[in-house]
Amino acid sequence: MRLYRILLTVPLVIVALVLQVSVLARLQLPGAVPDLLLLVVVGLALVYGHVGGALVGFAAGLLADLAPPSDHAIGRYALVLCIVGYAAGLTRPENGRHRSATVPLLAVLGAAVVSTLLYAGVGALVGDTTARHVGVGGLVLSATVYDLLLAPFIVPGVMALARRLEGEPLTGDSSGSPSGTVAGREPAYGWMTTGTGLKASRGGLKSGRAPKPARSSRGGLLGRSARNKAARIKGVKRL
């Protein structure tokens, strides 16, 4: 991962984790705890793509596994956020820009549902039955509602910061320009297509024939009258 991405990801992940553990976890909300860390991962994955999203998700999840008060196996949340970041990054368009807020909103919705189910499923594999006693359906519903309510305040800001550091995508390059032209410049081979005298002379030399001079009707009449006048003068001299 590039250095400027790391410099942006680390503070965002740390701030989100601190707020989630010290503030949101103490609100005693029914069901799940609002997941700021998940929203940060989704926002960065929508800009960085699936590879960057997977790396950010793994690092953020591993930090959450190690941060106190951690009550689950290390690597459990890292696996969940790695998969979520990879899946969210797949929705990134080729030009890096989403035309509407529908795709990011659907990405948040899917991430909230999938992360809760994955976390409960991995916990069941390692012997953690907490989600079964609380109720998986209630956790999925509450996590989805909380994340969707917080998404408009978190995801757009994270994406804006990431895009600012990424820079705007190039809009005019030689690959998308017509043949023989460079964007923002004169055609590189314009002298071959401008119809100038240079083109005509080069074409004549290439074909082995000399270029024909241009004629006009007025020039033809003047030349004909000059020849007739010369003939009359010669006839007078002969007399």
Side-chain angles (χ1 to χ4, degrees):
M1 183 177 289
R2 300 171 185 173
L3 179 59
Y4 62 85
R5 290 185 177 183
I6 297 176
L7 294 177
L8 176 64
T9 300
V10 171
L12 288 178
V13 168
I14 292 177
V15 170
L17 182 61
V18 170
L19 290 177
Q20 182 173 329
V21 172
S22 61
V23 178
L24 297 180
R26 298 183 180 183
L27 295 179
Q28 301 297 327
L29 296 174
V33 177
D35 200 340
L36 287 180
L37 201 59
L38 175 69
L39 297 179
V40 170
V41 171
V42 171
L44 293 176
L46 291 175
V47 179
Y48 295 160
H50 58 284
V51 177
L55 294 176
V56 171
F58 179 79
L62 186 61
L63 183 61
D65 290 333
L66 297 174
S70 179
D71 57 352
H72 56 269
I74 296 176
R76 179 177 172 183
Y77 203 46
L79 174 63
V80 172
L81 287 187
C82 181
I83 296 175
V84 169
Y86 182 87
L90 291 176
T91 64
R92 179 182 180 269
E94 294 182 358
N95 60 356
R97 289 279 184 174
H98 296 85
R99 296 183 178 181
S100 64
T102 303
V103 175
L105 187 63
L106 292 177
V108 171
L109 176 62
V113 175
V114 172
S115 63
T116 305
L117 293 177
L118 280 177
Y119 189 81
V122 175
L125 291 177
V126 298
D128 187 359
T129 59
T130 304
R132 184 184 306 174
H133 296 300
V134 175
V136 178
L139 290 176
V140 171
L141 180 60
S142 58
T144 303
V145 172
Y146 296 152
D147 292 343
L148 288 178
L149 290 177
L150 289 176
F153 304 99
I154 305 298
V155 176
V158 172
M159 294 178 66
L161 289 175
R163 283 174 177 165
R164 186 180 183 89
L165 291 182
E166 285 287 307
E168 294 294 331
L170 297 177
T171 56
D173 54 356
S174 58
S175 61
S177 57
S179 177
T181 60
V182 180
R185 299 181 181 178
E186 293 294 329
Y189 303 100
W191 54 270
M192 295 181 65
T193 57
T194 53
T196 61
L198 181 58
K199 176 188 175 183
S201 61
R202 289 177 65 89
L205 292 175
K206 183 178 181 181
S207 61
R209 295 178 297 177
K212 297 180 179 180
R215 294 183 179 180
S216 62
S217 58
R218 184 177 179 183
L221 293 175
L222 292 176
R224 190 181 306 168
S225 61
R227 289 195 299 270
N228 293 336
K229 185 177 181 181
R232 288 197 298 269
I233 294 175
K234 289 180 181 179
V236 171
K237 287 182 177 181
R238 279 198 290 269
L239 292 177

